[in-house]
Amino acid sequence: MKKIPYQDSKKILSYFDLSEEAKDVVKGSFPPIEVIRVLQKESLNIDLATFIAHALPMRESIWWATLATSLRKADLSQAENKVIEDSASWVKQPNEALRREIEKSIQPLANESSAKWVGQAVFWSGQGSIAPIENPVVMPADFLHAKAVAGAVNTAAALPEWSGYKGYYKQVTNMALNIADGGSGKLSQEEL
């Protein structure tokens, strides 16, 4: 995997806490692809999405979140879909003006909105201060964007409630693997 060049998963796993169930089946000595396969086989989807969010580089991780949440586009409001579109635009051409615009546009969204978490990932990307504009610069904690990406992907799987979450996790994992191999993540129906 070109975008996840680690021999083992110790470093990635040091960025977040696995669930107790995942700790029983995942070892830091596993290569990242093996961690992904084990978590997928055990249907530990929240851990799987969290692992991928932390394993991919920042922009690729946020790009994945935009693709994953777009799968629920029909269930989202116009404002939520705009945040996802703006976040995808930011990934393609990061700039401070758009990052700050996204910050404003996510404020009225509920915390249960997957789109809010995508926008939060952009805001927490480390590409600018997270303090109000008139305040001194405050940079986000390392991998804060990845926590928001995991929140976006996992929230989109669950809310609004639906019966398609198992297929959703399969699709978004395939997207992430494509991105990890240097692809765009935009897969044909056959690849999903």
Side-chain angles (χ1 to χ4, degrees), residues 19-151:
S19 68
E20 291 304 314
E21 297 87 357
K23 286 178 185 175
D24 289 341
V25 295
V26 169
K27 305 292 178 247
S29 59
F30 290 178
I33 189 65
E34 184 64 20
V35 171
I36 291 168
R37 287 187 181 132
V38 167
L39 292 173
Q40 198 171 26
K41 180 177 177 265
E42 298 295 324
S43 297
L44 295 170
N45 296 318
I46 293 172
D47 291 296
L48 175 62
T50 304
F51 180 82
I52 291 168
H54 286 80
L56 287 170
M58 180 270 297
R59 283 176 60 193
E60 286 82 350
S61 183
I62 296 172
W63 177 249
W64 176 54
T66 67
L67 295 176
T69 54
S70 290
L71 293 175
R72 300 296 310 271
K73 187 176 190 166
D75 297 314
L76 301 176
S77 71
Q78 187 175 355
E80 289 172 312
N81 282 311
K82 174 108 170 69
V83 167
I84 294 167
E85 290 167 18
D86 288 348
S87 297
S89 295
W90 181 88
V91 170
K92 292 174 186 171
Q93 284 194 303
N95 67 80
E96 183 63 5
L98 183 54
R99 191 181 74 87
R100 286 294 182 168
E101 185 179 311
I102 291 168
E103 174 196 19
K104 288 178 193 161
S105 66
I106 63 174
Q107 288 172 355
L109 300 179
N111 285 337
E112 298 80 31
S113 167
S114 57
K116 181 170 190 157
W117 289 108
V118 173
Q120 199 66 66
V122 170
F123 187 62
W124 289 343
S125 64
Q127 300 298 300
S129 177
I130 58 173
I133 293 172
E134 63 279 356
N135 288 14
V137 171
V138 175
M139 297 306 285
D142 290 341
F143 290 92
L144 195 54
H145 75 278
K147 292 180 185 345
V149 166

